[in-house]
Amino acid sequence: MITMTRIDYRLLHGQVAFAWTNNLSANAILIANDEVANDVFRKKTFQLAKPDNAKLIFKTIEDSAKAIASGVTDKYRVFIVVETIADAYRLAMQVPEIKVVDLGLANDKDGAINIAKSVYVTKKEIKQLTELEDKGVQVLVKQAPGDSDIEFSSLIK
């Protein structure tokens, strides 16, 4: 079962590893990112931040979608973490089980506007997130588990 998908350019760090994982009662964290899946050093670094009560899995976006579709993740409460809005979009468009995407932290880049604390989006990213909402995926902007749920679409009007 997928508990949530979070966009956070830092991927796995204290807040994600402990606050979010505990809040979601997740027992598996899937880092879905093409670069990290093939980077031994980054994977070893993230292993250091892994909570003891959760399995940590690294897969490309494509392999993540295949694993979820195969049912191999069904026995876990999976918290998916992606690095970018593009990663979340690619994954959610392939995986109908993704019902909630949390736009936690998206870094500043050329052409981006700031819509919330530590959340910057480009026109292309706004289009992608709007498409996800139109598909029925709830897109929230929420940094920490105790924060209020803010619908993405309410911040871009």
Side-chain angles (χ1 to χ4, degrees):
M1 169 188 173
I2 298 171
T3 59
M4 187 173 75
T5 300
R6 178 178 169 87
I7 302 164
D8 189 329
Y9 68 88
R10 300 175 299 175
L11 292 171
L12 190 62
H13 55 88
Q15 183 180 28
V16 168
F18 298 99
W20 277 109
T21 302
N22 288 335
N23 179 268
L24 297 169
S25 299
N27 59 5
I29 301 168
L30 169 59
I31 295 181
N33 179 269
D34 295 348
E35 289 79 26
V36 172
N38 296 301
D39 186 328
V40 173
F41 178 76
R42 284 182 80 187
K43 288 194 289 191
K44 285 185 185 216
T45 302
F46 290 132
Q47 284 286 353
L48 296 173
K50 179 190 90 62
D52 291 337
N53 60 341
K55 178 180 177 103
L56 183 58
I57 306 151
F58 303 97
K59 292 197 175 292
T60 64
I61 299 296
E62 191 67 34
D63 287 344
S64 295
K66 287 177 184 173
I68 294 163
S70 78
V72 73
T73 61
D74 291 352
K75 62 185 173 188
Y76 297 103
R77 291 186 50 81
V78 181
F79 175 28
I80 301 171
V81 184
V82 298
E83 190 170 34
T84 66
I85 293 166
D87 285 349
Y89 177 79
R90 285 177 52 214
L91 188 60
M93 291 305 277
Q94 296 179 64
V95 179
E97 294 86 354
I98 293 177
K99 304 294 185 201
V100 179
V101 171
D102 171 42
L103 179 50
L105 293 164
N107 58 348
D108 197 3
K109 53 204 138 314
D110 286 342
I113 59 168
N114 179 241
I115 61 166
K117 183 180 177 188
S118 300
V119 177
Y120 297 85
V121 291
T122 64
K123 287 180 182 180
K124 179 180 179 180
E125 291 169 335
I126 290 171
K127 183 177 184 238
Q128 290 173 328
L129 293 169
T130 301
E131 279 184 49
L132 290 180
E133 286 184 327
D134 291 346
K135 183 183 175 210
V137 176
Q138 184 180 27
V139 180
L140 302 174
V141 176
K142 187 172 179 169
Q143 283 194 349
D147 294 348
S148 298
D149 289 351
I150 299 172
E151 296 286 336
F152 167 73
S153 55
S154 73
L155 298 173
I156 57 164
K157 297 195 178 201

